[in-house]
mmCIF file of all heavy atoms in Angstrom:
data_model
loop_
_atom_site.group_PDB
_atom_site.id
_atom_site.type_symbol
_atom_site.label_atom_id
_atom_site.label_comp_id
_atom_site.label_asym_id
_atom_site.label_seq_id
_atom_site.Cartn_x
_atom_site.Cartn_y
_atom_site.Cartn_z
ATOM 1 N N GLN A 43 131.009 109.913 3.284
ATOM 2 C CA GLN A 43 130.573 110.236 1.971
ATOM 3 C C GLN A 43 129.898 109.080 1.300
ATOM 4 O O GLN A 43 130.418 107.938 1.546
ATOM 5 C CB GLN A 43 131.744 110.717 1.115
ATOM 6 C CG GLN A 43 132.484 111.894 1.644
ATOM 7 C CD GLN A 43 133.647 112.282 0.748
ATOM 8 O OE1 GLN A 43 133.460 112.480 -0.436
ATOM 9 N NE2 GLN A 43 134.810 112.259 1.406
ATOM 10 N N GLU A 44 128.930 109.272 0.403
ATOM 11 C CA GLU A 44 128.206 108.156 -0.272
ATOM 12 C C GLU A 44 127.755 108.516 -1.661
ATOM 13 O O GLU A 44 127.217 109.604 -1.791
ATOM 14 C CB GLU A 44 127.123 107.708 0.580
ATOM 15 C CG GLU A 44 126.432 106.503 0.164
ATOM 16 C CD GLU A 44 125.881 105.670 1.289
ATOM 17 O OE1 GLU A 44 125.054 106.282 2.128
ATOM 18 O OE2 GLU A 44 126.034 104.376 1.334
ATOM 19 N N HIS A 45 127.925 107.665 -2.604
ATOM 20 C CA HIS A 45 127.344 107.871 -3.901
ATOM 21 C C HIS A 45 126.215 106.825 -4.049
ATOM 22 O O HIS A 45 126.343 105.634 -4.131
ATOM 23 C CB HIS A 45 128.323 107.573 -5.015
ATOM 24 C CG HIS A 45 129.440 108.560 -5.073
ATOM 25 N ND1 HIS A 45 130.585 108.573 -4.319
ATOM 26 C CD2 HIS A 45 129.606 109.598 -5.858
ATOM 27 C CE1 HIS A 45 131.315 109.672 -4.633
ATOM 28 N NE2 HIS A 45 130.705 110.293 -5.634
ATOM 29 N N ALA A 46 124.937 107.436 -3.826
ATOM 30 C CA ALA A 46 123.805 106.543 -3.937
ATOM 31 C C ALA A 46 122.520 107.356 -4.020
ATOM 32 O O ALA A 46 122.513 108.579 -3.742
ATOM 33 C CB ALA A 46 123.609 105.717 -2.595
ATOM 34 N N SER A 47 121.463 106.760 -4.646
ATOM 35 C CA SER A 47 120.244 107.593 -4.924
ATOM 36 C C SER A 47 119.633 107.824 -3.421
ATOM 37 O O SER A 47 119.642 107.071 -2.582
ATOM 38 C CB SER A 47 119.309 106.735 -5.721
ATOM 39 O OG SER A 47 117.950 107.292 -5.666
ATOM 40 N N GLY A 48 119.013 108.949 -3.412
ATOM 41 C CA GLY A 48 118.316 109.474 -2.112
ATOM 42 C C GLY A 48 117.113 108.562 -1.971
ATOM 43 O O GLY A 48 116.700 108.383 -0.753
ATOM 44 N N ALA A 49 116.561 108.084 -3.022
ATOM 45 C CA ALA A 49 115.446 107.219 -2.928
ATOM 46 C C ALA A 49 115.668 105.792 -2.384
ATOM 47 O O ALA A 49 114.854 105.099 -2.048
ATOM 48 C CB ALA A 49 114.669 107.070 -4.378
ATOM 49 N N ASP A 50 117.005 105.488 -2.408
ATOM 50 C CA ASP A 50 117.418 104.092 -1.984
ATOM 51 C C ASP A 50 117.657 104.213 -0.461
ATOM 52 O O ASP A 50 118.581 104.953 -0.039
ATOM 53 C CB ASP A 50 118.700 103.695 -2.703
ATOM 54 C CG ASP A 50 119.173 102.415 -2.153
ATOM 55 O OD1 ASP A 50 118.490 101.735 -1.354
ATOM 56 O OD2 ASP A 50 120.306 101.986 -2.601
ATOM 57 N N GLU A 51 116.778 103.599 0.346
ATOM 58 C CA GLU A 51 116.859 103.628 1.785
ATOM 59 C C GLU A 51 118.031 102.753 2.301
ATOM 60 O O GLU A 51 118.336 102.804 3.449
ATOM 61 C CB GLU A 51 115.565 103.408 2.367
ATOM 62 C CG GLU A 51 114.551 104.529 1.947
ATOM 63 C CD GLU A 51 113.135 104.191 2.724
ATOM 64 O OE1 GLU A 51 113.084 103.479 3.710
ATOM 65 O OE2 GLU A 51 112.243 104.881 2.314
ATOM 66 N N ASN A 52 118.487 101.843 1.465
ATOM 67 C CA ASN A 52 119.491 100.846 1.988
ATOM 68 C C ASN A 52 120.836 101.298 1.479
ATOM 69 O O ASN A 52 121.460 100.782 0.567
ATOM 70 C CB ASN A 52 119.130 99.467 1.345
ATOM 71 C CG ASN A 52 117.751 98.944 1.910
ATOM 72 O OD1 ASN A 52 117.562 98.991 3.046
ATOM 73 N ND2 ASN A 52 117.017 98.480 1.017
ATOM 74 N N ARG A 53 121.350 102.362 2.092
ATOM 75 C CA ARG A 53 122.693 102.902 1.780
ATOM 76 C C ARG A 53 123.762 102.413 2.867
ATOM 77 O O ARG A 53 123.532 102.747 4.106
ATOM 78 C CB ARG A 53 122.607 104.393 1.817
ATOM 79 C CG ARG A 53 121.851 104.923 0.554
ATOM 80 C CD ARG A 53 121.779 106.423 0.613
ATOM 81 N NE ARG A 53 120.369 106.801 0.863
ATOM 82 C CZ ARG A 53 120.002 107.884 1.537
ATOM 83 N NH1 ARG A 53 120.886 108.628 2.036
ATOM 84 N NH2 ARG A 53 118.727 108.166 1.774
ATOM 85 N N PRO A 54 124.788 101.666 2.343
ATOM 86 C CA PRO A 54 125.686 101.107 3.452
ATOM 87 C C PRO A 54 126.409 102.133 4.292
ATOM 88 O O PRO A 54 126.593 101.855 5.498
ATOM 89 C CB PRO A 54 126.619 100.260 2.547
ATOM 90 C CG PRO A 54 126.057 100.388 1.150
ATOM 91 C CD PRO A 54 124.998 101.252 1.060
ATOM 92 N N VAL A 55 126.759 103.229 3.661
ATOM 93 C CA VAL A 55 127.662 104.128 4.546
ATOM 94 C C VAL A 55 126.649 104.781 5.561
ATOM 95 O O VAL A 55 127.039 105.018 6.714
ATOM 96 C CB VAL A 55 128.214 105.352 3.594
ATOM 97 C CG1 VAL A 55 128.787 106.356 4.378
ATOM 98 C CG2 VAL A 55 129.186 104.606 2.667
ATOM 99 N N LEU A 56 125.493 105.160 5.172
ATOM 100 C CA LEU A 56 124.447 105.738 6.140
ATOM 101 C C LEU A 56 124.164 104.748 7.274
ATOM 102 O O LEU A 56 124.025 104.988 8.396
ATOM 103 C CB LEU A 56 123.207 106.230 5.413
ATOM 104 C CG LEU A 56 122.122 106.805 6.306
ATOM 105 C CD1 LEU A 56 122.672 108.001 7.061
ATOM 106 C CD2 LEU A 56 120.871 107.113 5.537
ATOM 107 N N ALA A 57 123.954 103.454 6.857
ATOM 108 C CA ALA A 57 123.629 102.391 7.777
ATOM 109 C C ALA A 57 124.732 102.304 8.827
ATOM 110 O O ALA A 57 124.514 102.149 9.981
ATOM 111 C CB ALA A 57 123.301 101.050 7.099
ATOM 112 N N LYS A 58 125.982 102.307 8.414
ATOM 113 C CA LYS A 58 127.161 102.135 9.232
ATOM 114 C C LYS A 58 127.242 103.355 10.179
ATOM 115 O O LYS A 58 127.407 103.197 11.327
ATOM 116 C CB LYS A 58 128.385 102.069 8.418
ATOM 117 C CG LYS A 58 129.702 101.985 9.213
ATOM 118 C CD LYS A 58 130.856 101.740 8.337
ATOM 119 C CE LYS A 58 132.177 101.575 8.969
ATOM 120 N NZ LYS A 58 132.812 102.740 9.381
ATOM 121 N N LEU A 59 126.938 104.532 9.667
ATOM 122 C CA LEU A 59 126.994 105.760 10.456
ATOM 123 C C LEU A 59 125.964 105.650 11.578
ATOM 124 O O LEU A 59 126.224 105.994 12.724
ATOM 125 C CB LEU A 59 126.807 106.948 9.452
ATOM 126 C CG LEU A 59 127.102 108.356 10.067
ATOM 127 C CD1 LEU A 59 127.363 109.272 8.932
ATOM 128 C CD2 LEU A 59 125.930 108.870 10.901
ATOM 129 N N LEU A 60 124.728 105.243 11.272
ATOM 130 C CA LEU A 60 123.800 105.170 12.172
ATOM 131 C C LEU A 60 123.914 104.158 13.183
ATOM 132 O O LEU A 60 123.598 104.320 14.439
ATOM 133 C CB LEU A 60 122.371 104.967 11.440
ATOM 134 C CG LEU A 60 121.773 106.102 10.676
ATOM 135 C CD1 LEU A 60 120.489 105.676 9.799
ATOM 136 C CD2 LEU A 60 121.468 107.300 11.467
ATOM 137 N N LYS A 61 124.565 103.136 12.907
ATOM 138 C CA LYS A 61 124.967 102.077 13.803
ATOM 139 C C LYS A 61 126.115 102.447 14.855
ATOM 140 O O LYS A 61 125.969 102.205 15.939
ATOM 141 C CB LYS A 61 125.480 100.834 13.108
ATOM 142 C CG LYS A 61 125.795 99.658 13.937
ATOM 143 C CD LYS A 61 126.240 98.532 13.016
ATOM 144 C CE LYS A 61 126.668 97.280 13.985
ATOM 145 N NZ LYS A 61 127.188 96.216 13.285
ATOM 146 N N GLU A 62 126.950 103.348 14.344
ATOM 147 C CA GLU A 62 128.130 103.767 15.145
ATOM 148 C C GLU A 62 127.928 105.085 15.847
ATOM 149 O O GLU A 62 128.696 105.381 16.785
ATOM 150 C CB GLU A 62 129.380 103.775 14.258
ATOM 151 C CG GLU A 62 129.722 102.451 13.759
ATOM 152 C CD GLU A 62 130.932 102.465 12.756
ATOM 153 O OE1 GLU A 62 131.412 103.533 12.446
ATOM 154 O OE2 GLU A 62 131.307 101.434 12.381
ATOM 155 N N ILE A 63 126.878 105.747 15.570
ATOM 156 C CA ILE A 63 126.778 107.128 16.137
ATOM 157 C C ILE A 63 126.421 106.844 17.727
ATOM 158 O O ILE A 63 125.872 105.924 18.022
ATOM 159 C CB ILE A 63 125.581 107.986 15.476
ATOM 160 C CG1 ILE A 63 125.782 109.454 15.816
ATOM 161 C CG2 ILE A 63 124.238 107.471 15.842
ATOM 162 C CD1 ILE A 63 125.047 110.357 14.796
ATOM 163 N N GLN A 64 126.917 107.823 18.476
ATOM 164 C CA GLN A 64 126.918 107.708 19.928
ATOM 165 C C GLN A 64 126.033 108.762 20.568
ATOM 166 O O GLN A 64 125.715 109.725 19.940
ATOM 167 C CB GLN A 64 128.279 107.621 20.454
ATOM 168 C CG GLN A 64 129.184 106.561 19.935
ATOM 169 C CD GLN A 64 130.592 106.596 20.408
ATOM 170 O OE1 GLN A 64 131.036 107.478 21.296
ATOM 171 N NE2 GLN A 64 131.481 105.793 19.893
ATOM 172 N N LEU A 65 125.752 108.559 21.859
ATOM 173 C CA LEU A 65 125.117 109.614 22.734
ATOM 174 C C LEU A 65 125.692 110.970 22.584
ATOM 175 O O LEU A 65 126.883 111.134 22.530
ATOM 176 C CB LEU A 65 125.195 109.142 24.256
ATOM 177 C CG LEU A 65 124.582 110.089 25.179
ATOM 178 C CD1 LEU A 65 123.137 110.082 25.054
ATOM 179 C CD2 LEU A 65 125.059 109.639 26.673
ATOM 180 N N ALA A 66 124.822 111.886 22.362
ATOM 181 C CA ALA A 66 125.123 113.321 22.226
ATOM 182 C C ALA A 66 125.817 113.689 20.836
ATOM 183 O O ALA A 66 126.042 114.899 20.647
ATOM 184 C CB ALA A 66 126.067 113.774 23.330
ATOM 185 N N ASP A 67 125.996 112.748 19.949
ATOM 186 C CA ASP A 67 126.610 113.081 18.712
ATOM 187 C C ASP A 67 125.475 113.720 17.834
ATOM 188 O O ASP A 67 124.342 113.536 18.112
ATOM 189 C CB ASP A 67 127.016 111.877 17.859
ATOM 190 C CG ASP A 67 128.361 111.274 18.486
ATOM 191 O OD1 ASP A 67 129.064 112.003 19.276
ATOM 192 O OD2 ASP A 67 128.758 110.190 18.170
ATOM 193 N N THR A 68 125.897 114.517 16.857
ATOM 194 C CA THR A 68 124.913 115.148 16.004
ATOM 195 C C THR A 68 125.296 114.774 14.558
ATOM 196 O O THR A 68 126.342 115.044 14.105
ATOM 197 C CB THR A 68 124.841 116.699 16.144
ATOM 198 O OG1 THR A 68 124.504 116.969 17.504
ATOM 199 C CG2 THR A 68 123.854 117.268 15.186
ATOM 200 N N LEU A 69 124.355 114.290 13.796
ATOM 201 C CA LEU A 69 124.479 113.883 12.309
ATOM 202 C C LEU A 69 124.141 115.209 11.601
ATOM 203 O O LEU A 69 123.017 115.692 11.890
ATOM 204 C CB LEU A 69 123.507 112.892 11.982
ATOM 205 C CG LEU A 69 123.492 112.530 10.471
ATOM 206 C CD1 LEU A 69 124.884 112.035 9.952
ATOM 207 C CD2 LEU A 69 122.407 111.525 10.140
ATOM 208 N N VAL A 70 125.119 115.678 10.774
ATOM 209 C CA VAL A 70 124.901 117.005 10.144
ATOM 210 C C VAL A 70 124.940 116.738 8.561
ATOM 211 O O VAL A 70 125.813 116.026 8.081
ATOM 212 C CB VAL A 70 126.102 118.026 10.496
ATOM 213 C CG1 VAL A 70 125.886 119.304 9.866
ATOM 214 C CG2 VAL A 70 126.189 118.094 11.998
ATOM 215 N N VAL A 71 123.984 117.249 7.827
ATOM 216 C CA VAL A 71 123.852 117.264 6.522
ATOM 217 C C VAL A 71 123.758 118.700 5.961
ATOM 218 O O VAL A 71 123.310 119.664 6.766
ATOM 219 C CB VAL A 71 122.734 116.433 5.860
ATOM 220 C CG1 VAL A 71 122.979 114.964 6.309
ATOM 221 C CG2 VAL A 71 121.353 116.984 6.380
ATOM 222 N N VAL A 72 124.097 118.972 4.704
ATOM 223 C CA VAL A 72 123.948 120.265 4.152
ATOM 224 C C VAL A 72 122.432 120.607 3.919
ATOM 225 O O VAL A 72 122.004 121.752 4.236
ATOM 226 C CB VAL A 72 124.757 120.428 2.822
ATOM 227 C CG1 VAL A 72 124.447 121.659 2.193
ATOM 228 C CG2 VAL A 72 126.288 120.305 3.123
#
Side-chain angles (χ1 to χ4, degrees):
Q43 300 177 58
E44 188 155 46
H45 288 83
S47 170
D50 182 3
E51 294 183 15
N52 299 312
R53 291 179 249 146
V55 174
L56 179 59
K58 181 177 182 273
L59 192 155
L60 291 172
K61 183 179 176 183
E62 295 175 354
I63 201 158
Q64 299 175 7
L65 176 69
D67 288 346
T68 300
L69 174 60
V70 183
V71 295
V72 172

